[in-house]
Amino acid sequence: MRIILLGAPGVGKGTQAKFICNRFSIPQISTGDMLRESVRDGSNLGKKVKTVMDTGALVTDEIIIDLVKERIKKDDCKKGYLFDGFPRTIPQAEALAQQNIQIDSVIEIRVEEAEIISRLAGRRVHLSSGRVYHMINNPPKQKNQDDLTGEPLIQREDDKEDTIKQRLKVYRNQTEPLVNFYQEKQKEGVLSYQSVDGDKTYDNLFKEILIYLEKL
């Protein structure tokens, strides 16, 4: 089971990725994890990555693809893998295809932008514990105070409305074109593509995704 999860920030990709990976015993792979692991492992590629990161430059698509090829050779990928947040652009997707890195299924989670903004902008965090609240869906007992400690909750910079709108703009420009790209791949018989409505509970969304995956 080799899967790509697509969707804008805030649609619940991370949660569904964990559900899917637990169900099918496959690893969740993100570019951030790969970069950190390669540097920690100290491989030749890892040293190359560290050099780039130390200069503050962006890691090239070529290096990212090399990392992917290295990562999926590991034993935990024998049953498959799930890419979360990768590929982000058409060139990355094309590079995956050119390197014959097989993908069985692409799942797009769709949520209206107004709902995404509401989900993310309503989040508040207790920094020292990592506990997360939502001002509408999961509010603290006392406004802006952690339930256990009474300490103040904060709104992360990524969860401020202006930042969310900018992140969504980047997604529309850079990543959303992958929808058409992978729909065309489905028409060519290369992989299976499924779009699901993410405006439901996490459990119900997973049930819908699971029905789809178990038919493959």
Side-chain angles (χ1 to χ4, degrees):
M1 191 73 68
R2 292 156 289 204
I3 302 167
I4 289 173
L5 270 189
L6 280 182
V11 300
K13 293 192 303 298
T15 299
Q16 295 306 316
K18 288 179 174 60
F19 287 162
I20 294 167
C21 290
N22 287 338
R23 174 66 179 79
F24 293 101
S25 300
I26 58 176
Q28 178 181 349
I29 299 174
S30 73
T31 51
D33 290 341
M34 287 190 297
L35 290 168
R36 286 187 290 271
E37 285 177 16
S38 68
V39 172
R40 189 168 58 245
D41 290 348
S43 64
N44 287 336
L45 185 54
K47 291 173 183 174
K48 194 175 185 180
V49 170
K50 187 175 187 304
T51 300
V52 173
M53 293 174 71
D54 285 349
T55 64
L58 291 175
V59 177
T60 64
D61 287 350
E62 182 183 0
I63 291 176
I64 293 293
I65 296 299
D66 285 343
L67 285 172
V68 169
K69 288 164 64 179
E70 193 173 84
R71 178 66 182 86
I72 63 177
K73 290 177 183 175
K74 294 189 176 181
D75 287 344
D76 63 344
C77 292
K78 285 181 178 177
K79 292 183 179 179
Y81 39 82
L82 182 147
F83 289 130
D84 175 16
F86 176 83
R88 292 183 185 273
T89 64
I90 294 289
Q92 288 180 349
E94 289 173 336
L96 275 182
Q98 289 164 3
Q99 292 295 322
N100 296 316
I101 296 171
Q102 191 168 350
I103 301 298
D104 301 313
S105 174
V106 176
I107 302 170
E108 177 203 4
I109 302 176
R110 304 183 325 276
V111 175
E112 294 292 330
E113 288 198 4
E115 173 62 20
I116 291 174
I117 291 169
S118 173
R119 285 184 185 185
L120 297 182
R123 289 200 300 207
R124 299 294 184 274
V125 180
H126 179 239
L127 279 182
S128 60
S129 70
R131 282 186 288 275
V132 179
Y133 299 84
H134 193 280
M135 303 313 289
I136 297 172
N137 301 328
N138 179 35
K141 294 173 184 175
Q142 297 292 326
K143 187 175 180 180
N144 291 324
Q145 291 182 12
D146 178 56
D147 286 350
L148 299 184
T149 66
E151 292 172 345
L153 303 176
I154 65 109
Q155 184 181 37
R156 292 181 299 199
E157 195 63 39
D158 273 0
D159 292 337
K160 291 182 178 177
E161 188 166 335
D162 287 347
T163 307
I164 297 165
K165 288 179 177 177
Q166 179 58 33
R167 291 169 68 196
L168 290 173
K169 181 180 178 182
V170 170
Y171 175 79
R172 283 195 304 271
N173 292 338
Q174 293 187 2
T175 307
E176 199 168 53
L178 290 173
V179 170
N180 288 334
F181 179 88
Y182 282 118
Q183 285 174 340
E184 288 300 316
K185 291 295 182 186
Q186 176 173 250
K187 291 176 184 176
E188 295 167 12
V190 174
L191 49 75
S192 175
Y193 182 92
Q194 182 73 15
S195 180
V196 296
D197 181 0
D199 193 11
K200 49 177 67 78
T201 67
Y202 289 144
D203 287 344
N204 286 338
L205 178 55
F206 178 58
K207 286 176 185 175
E208 183 177 339
I209 291 172
L210 193 57
I211 289 169
Y212 157 68
L213 287 174
E214 290 185 336
K215 288 179 180 177
L216 294 179

